[in-house]
């Protein structure tokens, strides 16, 4: 067994930490306040090679794996969960194209979502297909006269959907087959018949825009089909296994950031004539926060290790996300408590982190869905 990062991974962690301190932390409160997508920061992440983290060098990426993705996402989430979420979700597009795309699709799209500065998104959810993702109703009917798919329907709660240049849309090419008729199709920003609807007003992760996508007779060339027709659900589930590791990394970073702030505050804040770090009640809080976060970290890295080595990781990704997201809520709650009244004020980052942590228990699969996935694997059902 080897729990050490390679020298390369240590370097990436150092770079990511410096980037988060210099480029992300100073604007995190503003991103939260305005809810504006941090385009400039995204462009800086492009320049730093973060956006193509898992894409091979020959396709314009940085040649890393899920382990490097976890390092980047968790370090950035330490300072701003919204920015980390943007990066994490963006990487799903490339991972799907890499695993299921044609050589032409890889050559066309991977350099663009790597060093090219384009943003990718993943659109599965619909008003009546959330946890029951197989109930999607958006259709993509093939028109043999023009060799195009014609998309009709609405996607909702799509992270980055309003900003994305390229979107993976899951739609029924054979509606009568339901889940088995679902396919994955690339839609490009600006395609006729595709528009962005409502941009949601959320509790947290404000800079990571969440949008409704509307398809009204949107014509997409046949070559934009990813994988085989009817295999869309399997593609979506495979993609979500990786995406869940990204959310787990985001949750891990939020928890680590809340611990950092709590330690600093406990040494500085004096009550009853001594720093509050001397109070045993709060020492026990910190002990619990640190222990649970350390445990969460290794489950996240284990899932990433399996993914990076092409080993089955559905159960482990679900466990990592379930555990890390519950931990992020637990830790931000105690961190806010340690900060007392100051923690509740918008002048301090704790109330933002507390709000941001909540989404990690919901998106890319709720905690309850992860328990379904885990229990099925454990019970062999
Ligand atoms: N990887 C690859 N394929 C998978 C898979 C995985 N992790 N999980 C399931 N599949 C495949 C199955 O093998 C099956 O394929 P075949 O029919 O070819 O054998 C198919 O998908 C259907 O699987 P299953 O019967 O398990 O589907 P269910 O409808 O019972 O759904 C859950 C399973 C609940 C786990 C799934 O719907 C889910 O993850 N829901 C949450 C969706 C979600 O996370 N949404 C968040 C937002 S995404 S924008």
């Amino acid at each position: 067994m080897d729990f050490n990062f390679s020298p390369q991974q240590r370097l990436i962690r150092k770079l990511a930490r410096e980037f988060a301190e210099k480029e992300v932390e100073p604007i995190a409160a503003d991103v939260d306040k305005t809810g504006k997508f941090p385009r400039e920061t995204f462009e800086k992440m492009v320049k730093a090679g973060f956006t193509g983290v898992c894409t091979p060098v020959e396709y314009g990426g940085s040649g890393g794996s899920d382990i490097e993705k976890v390092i980047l996402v968790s370090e950035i989430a330490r300072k701003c969960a919204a920015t980390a979420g943007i990066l994490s979700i963006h990487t799903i597009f490339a991972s799907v194209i890499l695993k299921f795309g044609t050589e032409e699709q890889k050559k066309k799209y991977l350099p663009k979502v790597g060093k090219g500065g384009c943003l990718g998104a993943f659109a599965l959810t619909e008003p009546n297909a959330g946890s029951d993702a197989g109930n999607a109703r958006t259709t993509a009917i093939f028109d043999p006269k023009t060799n195009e798919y014609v998309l009709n329907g609405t996607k909702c709660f799509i992270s980055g959907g309003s900003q994305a240049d390229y979107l993976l849309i899951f739609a029924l090419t054979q509606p009568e087959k339901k889940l088995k008729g679902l396919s994955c199709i690339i839609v490009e920003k600006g395609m006729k018949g595709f528009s962005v609807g409502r941009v949601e007003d959320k509790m947290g992760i404000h800079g990571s825009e969440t949008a409704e996508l509307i398809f009204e007779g949107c014509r997409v060339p046949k070559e934009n089909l990813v994988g085989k027709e009817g295999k869309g659900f399997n593609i979506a589930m495979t993609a979500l296994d990786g995406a869940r590791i990204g959310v787990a990394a985001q949750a891990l970073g939020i928890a680590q950031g809340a611990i950092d702030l709590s330690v600093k505050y406990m040494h500085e804040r004096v009550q009853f004539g001594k720093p509050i770090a001397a109070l045993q009640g709060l020492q026990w809080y910190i002990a619990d926060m640190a222990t649970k976060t350390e445990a969460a970290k290794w489950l996240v890295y284990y899932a990433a290790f399996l993914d990076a080595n092409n080993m089955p990781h559905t159960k482990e990704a679900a466990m990592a996300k379930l555990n890390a997201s519950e931990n992020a809520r637990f830790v931000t709650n105690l961190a806010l408590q340690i900060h007392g009244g100051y923690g509740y004020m918008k002048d301090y980052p704790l109330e933002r982190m507390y709000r941001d942590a909540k989404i990690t228990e919901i998106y890319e699969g709720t905690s309850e869905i992860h328990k379904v996935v885990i229990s099925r694997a454990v019970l062999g059902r």
Side-chain angles (χ1 to χ4, degrees):
M1 284 186 79
D2 184 0
F3 283 93
N4 289 312
F5 286 126
S6 68
Q8 175 82 355
Q9 288 163 344
R10 278 202 292 275
L11 182 66
I12 290 170
R13 189 178 57 183
K14 182 171 174 285
L15 288 174
R17 202 165 281 179
E18 285 168 4
F19 182 92
E21 281 164 9
K22 189 165 161 251
E23 308 291 354
V24 178
E25 187 173 18
I27 57 151
D30 199 48
V31 165
D32 179 59
K33 202 168 170 185
T34 62
K36 238 180 104 208
F37 180 83
R39 177 61 67 177
E40 255 181 57
T41 316
F42 181 77
E43 279 159 16
K44 286 175 187 167
M45 292 198 287
V46 173
K47 271 204 185 120
F50 295 175
T51 49
V53 56
C54 298
T55 303
V57 177
E58 67 262 34
Y59 294 115
S62 304
S65 72
D66 251 41
I67 296 178
E68 284 74 20
K69 178 178 88 175
V70 170
I71 294 174
L72 291 182
V73 171
S74 60
E75 287 298 334
I76 293 170
R78 232 167 154 145
K79 302 299 183 189
C80 176
T83 307
I86 289 167
L87 176 63
S88 168
I89 286 158
H90 163 79
T91 63
I92 306 174
F93 183 91
S95 80
V96 168
I97 300 297
L98 256 179
K99 281 190 183 130
F100 301 99
T102 61
E103 193 50 37
E104 288 70 34
Q105 287 169 346
K106 288 178 193 171
K107 282 189 181 136
K108 177 172 177 191
Y109 294 106
L110 293 179
K112 288 186 177 160
V113 294
K115 294 208 172 86
C118 294
L119 183 75
F122 174 91
L124 176 65
T125 303
E126 296 185 8
N128 291 313
S131 290
D132 186 7
N135 194 39
R137 288 286 177 265
T138 296
T139 52
I141 307 302
F142 188 63
D143 179 351
K145 285 191 216 117
T146 58
N147 248 354
E148 291 168 321
Y149 289 101
V150 186
L151 272 71
N152 281 292
T154 303
K155 295 283 172 186
C156 67
F157 300 160
I158 306 305
S159 304
S162 50
Q163 298 286 334
D165 301 283
Y166 303 117
L167 305 103
L168 295 166
I169 307 299
F170 293 85
L172 293 161
T173 43
Q174 287 178 288
E176 68 287 358
K177 289 193 175 170
K178 298 194 170 150
L179 186 145
K180 297 238 179 254
L182 208 58
S183 302
C184 176
I185 292 171
I186 303 167
V187 169
E188 302 187 5
K189 187 182 192 167
M191 278 181 162
K192 221 168 147 234
F194 162 49
S195 59
V196 174
R198 176 190 158 93
V199 176
E200 303 293 341
D201 188 6
K202 309 189 292 296
M203 172 181 175
I205 56 160
H206 289 164
S208 169
E209 288 186 6
T210 304
E212 177 185 50
L213 310 179
I214 300 164
F215 301 93
E216 292 166 308
C218 175
R219 290 185 164 268
V220 181
K222 189 182 180 209
E223 58 266 24
N224 283 24
L225 174 73
V226 181
K228 291 200 173 77
E229 265 196 26
K231 287 288 172 196
F233 193 75
N234 304 63
I235 295 175
M237 290 298 117
T238 306
L240 282 174
D241 286 344
R244 287 167 182 168
I245 297 172
V247 176
Q250 183 188 23
L252 177 65
I254 297 170
Q256 286 173 329
I259 292 174
D260 296 343
L261 292 172
S262 301
V263 168
K264 186 167 178 285
Y265 188 76
M266 283 173 70
H267 286 305
E268 285 170 3
R269 173 76 171 161
V270 174
Q271 289 290 277
F272 306 107
K274 55 191 173 192
I276 60 172
L279 302 173
Q280 193 178 50
L282 301 193
Q283 289 170 355
W284 286 18
Y285 278 179
I286 277 289
D288 284 342
M289 290 154 75
T291 306
K292 285 176 190 283
T293 301
E294 192 67 16
K297 175 169 132 186
W298 292 113
L299 202 42
V300 178
Y301 276 107
Y302 179 54
F305 166 84
L306 294 176
D307 195 1
N309 289 285
N310 300 315
M311 290 150 86
H313 57 278
T314 299
K315 179 187 71 181
E316 290 76 8
M319 285 177 163
K321 181 181 176 289
L322 172 67
N323 182 57
S325 60
E326 285 183 348
N327 181 60
R329 177 168 46 81
F330 172 82
V331 168
T332 51
N333 182 41
L334 284 189
L336 200 152
Q337 194 68 19
I338 288 170
H339 282 73
Y342 290 107
Y344 200 69
M345 301 301 148
K346 288 206 179 265
D347 294 341
Y348 280 71
L350 260 308
E351 65 84 33
R352 163 171 54 87
M353 296 164 97
Y354 181 77
R355 286 184 285 107
D356 287 348
K358 184 62 201 171
I359 190 60
T360 65
E361 292 184 293
I362 299 172
Y363 73 172
E364 312 298 14
T366 60
S367 294
E368 292 72 19
I369 283 296
H370 297 314
K371 289 181 190 180
V372 170
V373 172
I374 296 162
S375 61
R376 279 183 184 180
V378 173
L379 294 168
R381 290 163 65 104

